[in-house]
């Protein structure tokens, strides 16, 4: 493990300890969900990176709905880091790569979680919950499947843009946990068949993320093992219920999920793969899909 990896593991370990008393812990003074305007460590992504489902959403983050319990903020507090920024934003699609304004040639660490909002994973979870219907679940599945087909082109463009703007940075793209783990319950999937459908959707999404991160020579962080046994129907769930009125909150990590799930996965050493040979034209620098058919990611 390299020096930077050792340091990262120590910081994440401290963050895990910090989060071990999450239910009773009070936020220390001056704990913004977005950080300052530092560019050394930058967090990007959708509602999962913003911590929208984790509670303590910072009013100043407006529609981006960033939480002080999101994993980037927890790591920053544990490290005493003031040179960090979170640009993560709920429903982070459309408008180009607006989150990338904090990336510079001196940026050292970039974390990103993206793809869940873009594919409608939360909407799928809500539609297949006990509050949904079979017809809603089927319709949401079709929308998810269609969105997943355009995600690789969007990812390739966005990841190339991250590397161009922050060429020295260690970049980690995190995946998503299994929501149901094969189980149905009142706050989760309506039946085992819909539970299997949700888990299959997450598996396919994570496969795309891992493949595109690997092709870009970046680190993919699989969080599924870290969340094992803490799905939405578990005795101690690290994910929010699926049956609420807000689809952006359906199945998102709660505060414990960020501190004990995502951070544990980030702490595990995984070498960055070598980049695959380029077989397509370079994507536009502004993050649009190569063929124009893929929506841009990292808006907000």
């Amino acid at each position: 493990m390299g020096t930077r990896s050792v340091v990262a593991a120590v910081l994440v370990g401290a963050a895990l300890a910090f989060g071990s008393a999450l239910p009773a812990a009070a936020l220390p003074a001056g704990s913004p969900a977005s950080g300052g305007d530092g560019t050394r460590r930058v967090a990007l992504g959708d509602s999962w990176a913003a911590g929208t489902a984790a509670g303590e959403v910072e009013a100043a983050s407006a529609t981006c709905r960033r939480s002080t319990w999101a994993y980037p903020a927890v790591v920053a507090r544990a490290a005493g880091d003031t040179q960090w920024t979170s640009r993560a934003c709920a429903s982070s699609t459309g408008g180009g790569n607006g989150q990338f304004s904090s990336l510079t040639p001196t940026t050292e660490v970039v974390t990103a979680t993206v793809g869940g909002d873009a594919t409608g994973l939360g909407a799928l979870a809500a539609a297949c919950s006990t509050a949904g219907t079979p017809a809603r679940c089927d319709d949401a599945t079709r929308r998810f499947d269609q969105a997943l087909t355009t995600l690789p082109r969007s990812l390739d463009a966005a990841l190339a843009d991250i590397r161009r703007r922050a060429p020295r940075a260690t970049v980690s793209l995190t995946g998503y946990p299994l929501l149901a783990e094969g189980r149905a319950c009142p706050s989760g999937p309506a039946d085992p068949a819909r539970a299997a459908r949700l888990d299959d959707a997450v598996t396919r999404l994570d496969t795309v993320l891992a493949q595109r991160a690997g092709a870009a020579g970046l680190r993919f962080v699989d969080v599924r093992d870290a969340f094992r046994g803490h799905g939405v129907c578990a005795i101690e769930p690290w994910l929010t219920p699926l049956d609420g009125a807000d689809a952006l909150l359906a199945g998102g990590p709660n505060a414990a999920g960020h501190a004990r799930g995502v951070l544990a996965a980030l702490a595990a050493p995984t070498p960055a793969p070598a980049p695959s040979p380029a077989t397509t034209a370079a994507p536009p620098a502004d993050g649009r899909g190569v063929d124009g058919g893929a929506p841009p990611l990292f808006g907000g």
Side-chain angles (χ1 to χ4, degrees):
M1 185 187 297
T3 302
R4 180 176 290 180
S5 297
V6 171
V7 173
V10 170
L11 293 179
V12 170
L16 285 167
F18 180 88
S20 63
L22 276 171
L27 282 170
S31 302
S34 304
D37 55 3
T39 61
R40 187 180 67 81
R41 181 186 296 269
V42 180
L44 308 167
D46 58 16
S47 65
W48 295 64
T52 303
E56 297 286 350
V57 170
E58 186 179 61
S61 66
T63 58
C64 285
R65 300 169 70 179
R66 287 187 282 266
S67 169
T68 48
W69 291 121
Y71 69 85
V74 176
V75 169
R77 284 198 295 275
D81 192 351
T82 59
Q83 296 299 307
W84 75 284
T85 300
S86 176
R87 298 294 183 191
C89 194
S91 294
S92 59
T93 58
N97 290 336
Q99 294 186 28
F100 292 3
S101 59
S102 290
L103 298 177
T104 74
T106 60
T107 299
E108 297 178 12
V109 179
V110 176
T111 57
T113 307
V114 75
D117 289 0
T119 55
L121 180 60
L124 174 62
C128 296
S129 74
T130 54
T133 65
R136 278 184 59 200
C137 185
D138 289 344
D139 185 56
T141 300
R142 284 191 292 270
R143 292 196 302 271
F144 176 90
D145 290 345
Q146 182 176 9
L148 193 63
T149 64
T150 66
L151 187 62
R153 295 191 295 277
S154 296
L155 279 170
D156 287 349
L159 296 180
D161 198 0
I162 290 173
R163 178 52 70 216
R164 179 182 67 83
R165 296 175 188 240
R168 294 174 47 200
T170 298
V171 182
S172 298
L173 180 68
T174 69
Y176 295 82
L178 295 180
L179 304 184
E181 297 184 311
R183 298 172 61 184
C185 65
S187 62
D191 52 59
R194 285 186 247 186
R197 181 179 296 193
L198 291 180
D199 289 341
D200 175 68
V202 170
T203 298
R204 289 186 287 125
L205 173 58
D206 281 346
T207 297
V208 169
L209 295 172
Q211 289 174 343
R212 301 333 302 159
L218 307 179
R219 178 192 182 203
F220 173 71
V221 179
D222 192 334
V223 305
R224 286 173 291 185
D225 281 348
F227 275 83
R228 190 181 303 278
H230 295 282
V232 70
C233 293
I235 294 175
E236 185 186 355
W238 291 354
L239 302 172
T240 52
L242 310 185
D243 59 345
D246 188 346
L248 271 182
L249 303 183
N254 57 26
H258 282 272
R260 303 173 198 169
V262 180
L263 292 184
L266 280 169
T270 53
S276 300
T279 56
T280 59
D286 67 356
R288 291 193 303 269
V290 172
D291 62 2
L297 298 173
F298 298 101

